[in-house]
Amino acid sequence: MAASMLEVRLSKTTKARCVFAACDLKSGDEILVEEPYAISLSTYQDRCDYCFSDRNKLLRCSRCKCQNYCNTSCQRSAWVLHKNECKDLQRFSPGKPSETVLLVARLLQLSKKYSKESNSSDDFPCSLSELQSNHEHFNEQRKKQFVKLLSTLKNYCGDQLPSNQELLHLFGQVTCNSFNICDPEMQSIGVGIYLKSSLLNHSCSPNCTAIFVGTTIHIRAVKAISKGEECSISYIDLMNPSHIRQRMLQEQYYFTCDCTSCQEELLDAEMGSVTCENCSGQVLRRDDTSFQACSACNTQVLPTRISEVLHIEEESRSLLEDCDSFSEKLKSKSKGQENWQNLFKLWSKLSIKQAGVLHIENVYRVRTVDKLYDVAVNLQNWTDALYLAQKVIQSYRKLYPSFHPLIGVHLLRLAKLQHFLGSFTMAIQYLQQASDIIKVTHGLQHELYKQLEEIQSNCIVEARFYSSDTQDKVN
Ligand SMILES: [Zn+2]
Ligand SMILES: [Zn+2]
Ligand SMILES: [Zn+2]
Ligand SMILES: [Zn+2]
């Protein structure tokens, strides 16, 4: 299937291999399905280390007590690599090395196994050595990360390591080619190397998306793509203004994006917008430190207001960055009510500062409201959760490309909430909107779509039941 839909050619501008449509593709076409070359589960995930399933009862490796498996079948398949790793894990202390260290160590094992180059019929890469490294472009921060990795790796794998130069090359390959493996709701659960998929270039307005079934990657078209057109995915979170996207791409992938979205000034202006002090309307951003006049009442943003905005944005940025790793630990280690209460205090404090200053389309505001929504769900404050989710979806619809997996996931969450609260008509409406997107981004065979269909049929039955119930009472 994939072989006939795609072809690999050299780009005229960069002279690098790129992926092009070999025929006309429709939105929703699955264009590439690929098993991972190597994977590594995130440290705080309680999942099978082989297939990433999160079933309730997992078997623990009795020797290292570090890795879990669904059953003996997953354990046996993992043993090929785990055999050597198990000894290293038993010696390693304290705790367990990071997911990147585990991935690099697994790649080292694989490179010994498959040292001979294999050939494939198409021009896709078929060995790790064909992937770019770009380590010569490492910035100071990346160099520091490498030094840290090197010392953990020495502690973990002992003396059998290749030269530092070879490890540097490998670390470069990992940083610019690895994919975040996501669960059906698009939360990252691990990292993986996919040789073919890594040839797809980035666009901030991509015509394809990557989703996962277990650890298998599925690349799907989210727009119609004409024969000969380049296929692209997004490497980063697109809910960032273009100057931040450019910085992220430069720091991790060493290129400047010149896609159509990066020229779109309106989208940037919205992502940085603030609330008008006079009429509460949306005030668009001009650049980092200046704003346009309010489009509704023409009021100018005063310098004191600008410094207030910058201050709140800075505080939001640092909290959001710190909390990503913090909440991941929290979610897996303990689902205690008390921790969620603390998070609730933290996010609502920030949200109160932002309210009336940052517009709901400002990316910091959207992210904070999204965090609050997550906390509300975990504290089972369903009415708050519904209110927050509705705010978030409006901004997602505006700021993400139309067929982005996160929009579908979020619409489905909203539908579940409405269903739970007994608003069946609203639930059915959201399910329809979610279905329109998930059909394209995840496909009809995906677990998430099946889940959607099930809720849909329940909703229809319940809606009928309750409406006849009310009629009975009226009569
Ligand atoms: Zn498994
Ligand atoms: Zn073990
Ligand atoms: Zn771009
Ligand atoms: Zn105004």
Side-chain angles (χ1 to χ4, degrees):
M1 164 197 60
S4 60
M5 285 176 137
L6 302 175
E7 64 181 4
V8 175
R9 278 190 270 127
L10 290 186
S11 146
K12 287 192 184 97
T13 43
T14 62
K15 304 282 175 247
R17 281 188 290 180
C18 304
V19 181
F20 295 88
C23 56
D24 288 340
L25 300 170
K26 293 188 307 300
S27 169
D29 278 347
E30 186 159 81
I31 58 168
L32 179 64
V33 178
E34 188 183 11
E35 293 302 323
Y37 179 78
I39 49 169
S40 170
L41 183 69
S42 292
T43 318
Y44 299 104
Q45 289 286 335
D46 298 319
R47 287 172 181 268
C48 171
D49 197 63
Y50 182 70
C51 74
F52 286 16
S53 155
D54 64 346
R55 63 172 65 198
N56 269 338
K57 275 194 178 157
L58 293 167
L59 298 173
R60 177 155 290 183
C61 171
S62 58
R63 302 181 199 195
C64 63
K65 299 185 175 59
C66 282
Q67 310 298 52
N68 299 309
Y69 304 100
C70 298
N71 45 39
T72 45
S73 157
C74 279
Q75 187 166 24
R76 210 173 297 132
S77 310
W79 187 244
V80 186
L81 282 181
H82 187 60
K83 190 165 66 182
N84 285 321
E85 178 183 89
C86 190
K87 292 176 207 141
D88 294 337
L89 283 170
Q90 287 171 51
R91 267 190 294 106
F92 188 82
S93 78
K96 189 176 161 180
S98 72
E99 62 192 60
T100 315
V101 172
L102 278 178
L103 183 67
V104 169
R106 286 175 183 176
L107 289 169
L108 286 170
Q109 274 206 60
L110 286 166
S111 65
K112 283 180 205 153
K113 257 190 187 2
Y114 305 115
S115 52
K116 269 184 256 144
E117 300 279 315
S118 54
N119 285 315
S120 72
S121 51
D122 49 35
D123 292 317
F124 278 107
C126 46
S127 74
L128 189 66
S129 61
E130 292 176 60
L131 301 189
Q132 291 195 350
S133 166
N134 293 314
H135 59 83
E136 62 282 6
H137 301 301
F138 274 11
N139 61 17
E140 283 314 307
Q141 194 201 356
R142 195 66 77 196
K143 282 180 194 158
K144 272 188 198 149
Q145 283 175 355
F146 175 68
V147 173
K148 197 174 159 218
L149 173 106
L150 203 58
S151 99
T152 321
L153 211 54
K154 281 190 174 138
N155 179 7
Y156 174 53
C157 305
D159 310 324
Q160 314 146 22
L161 289 176
S163 70
N164 287 0
Q165 193 53 37
E166 281 170 75
L167 287 170
L168 181 67
H169 183 81
L170 182 60
F171 180 60
Q173 288 178 313
V174 168
T175 51
C176 66
N177 291 290
S178 57
F179 281 83
N180 274 324
I181 302 176
C182 296
D183 69 4
E185 303 217 318
M186 304 308 288
Q187 299 295 313
S188 172
I189 51 173
V191 284
I193 298 284
Y194 296 82
L195 298 179
K196 291 183 177 189
S197 306
S198 62
L199 269 200
L200 285 152
N201 278 326
H202 165 89
S203 165
C204 308
S205 171
N207 52 21
C208 296
T209 192
I211 60 126
F212 295 83
V213 176
T215 61
T216 310
I217 196 169
H218 292 242
I219 309 284
R220 303 177 57 86
V222 291
K223 290 179 187 171
I225 308 172
S226 319
K227 182 181 176 184
E229 204 181 315
E230 190 179 349
C231 297
S232 57
I233 54 173
S234 162
Y235 292 176
I236 51 168
D237 184 355
L238 294 175
M239 204 174 58
N240 281 298
S242 62
H243 71 278
I244 295 184
R245 296 201 303 271
Q246 293 290 0
R247 199 184 62 214
M248 290 160 95
L249 291 166
Q250 194 56 249
E251 280 176 5
Q252 191 166 358
Y253 305 98
Y254 321 104
F255 71 90
T256 310
C257 184
D258 60 356
C259 76
T260 49
S261 268
C262 282
Q263 321 298 326
E264 231 178 278
E265 283 169 9
L266 181 60
L267 194 61
D268 279 346
E270 287 166 340
M271 288 191 187
S273 61
V274 295
T275 309
C276 174
E277 265 181 293
N278 183 41
C279 76
S280 304
Q282 183 175 28
V283 179
L284 298 173
R285 206 173 194 110
R286 190 176 291 127
D287 55 43
D288 253 4
T289 52
S290 72
F291 295 84
Q292 302 176 21
C294 171
S295 51
C297 75
N298 214 27
T299 301
Q300 295 286 340
V301 186
L302 298 171
T304 47
R305 179 73 160 185
I306 295 179
S307 42
E308 188 188 6
V309 167
L310 296 179
H311 182 77
I312 294 174
E313 283 185 337
E314 180 51 36
E315 189 181 340
S316 311
R317 192 190 56 75
S318 83
L319 259 180
L320 285 159
E321 269 176 20
D322 287 354
C323 266
D324 273 343
S325 53
F326 171 66
S327 15
E328 200 191 342
K329 281 181 209 168
L330 185 75
K331 277 180 199 161
S332 64
K333 292 286 168 197
S334 146
K335 291 184 173 134
Q337 200 73 353
E338 198 185 318
N339 285 332
W340 286 110
Q341 287 289 2
N342 286 337
L343 273 184
F344 176 74
K345 276 183 210 147
L346 181 98
W347 294 122
S348 34
K349 205 171 139 199
L350 181 65
S351 176
I352 290 166
K353 280 191 197 165
Q354 291 174 346
V357 182
L358 305 186
H359 189 265
I360 185 61
E361 282 166 18
N362 181 301
V363 290
Y364 296 114
R365 182 83 184 122
V366 192
R367 292 220 169 89
T368 307
V369 175
D370 208 0
K371 293 276 182 206
L372 259 181
Y373 156 78
D374 198 29
V375 176
V377 167
N378 280 286
L379 291 174
Q380 306 189 350
N381 290 341
W382 304 118
T383 1
D384 282 358
L386 181 65
Y387 170 76
L388 296 163
Q390 282 168 327
K391 283 189 124 177
V392 170
I393 194 63
Q394 284 174 22
S395 304
Y396 271 23
R397 286 248 194 222
K398 194 87 181 267
L399 306 179
Y400 278 121
S402 327
F403 286 88
H404 192 286
L406 275 177
I407 299 180
V409 166
H410 202 81
L411 283 165
L412 182 57
R413 277 193 221 151
L414 254 170
K416 284 187 197 166
L417 268 173
Q418 294 281 22
H419 177 213
F420 183 78
L421 294 169
S423 314
F424 302 111
T425 326
M426 284 309 292
I428 291 167
Q429 277 178 27
Y430 280 127
L431 283 167
Q432 190 50 53
Q433 294 175 29
S435 161
D436 291 344
I437 293 179
I438 293 175
K439 256 186 224 166
V440 171
T441 54
H442 293 68
L444 303 179
Q445 299 310 316
H446 196 278
E447 184 190 323
L448 200 69
Y449 192 76
K450 304 246 156 100
Q451 215 185 83
L452 185 150
E453 279 183 315
E454 200 187 313
I455 305 169
Q456 204 159 30
S457 56
N458 287 344
C459 262
I460 292 170
V461 172
E462 283 170 82
R464 255 189 233 134
F465 176 78
Y466 286 109
S467 73
S468 65
D469 192 42
T470 343
Q471 266 167 18
D472 288 348
K473 277 176 202 155
V474 173
N475 296 339

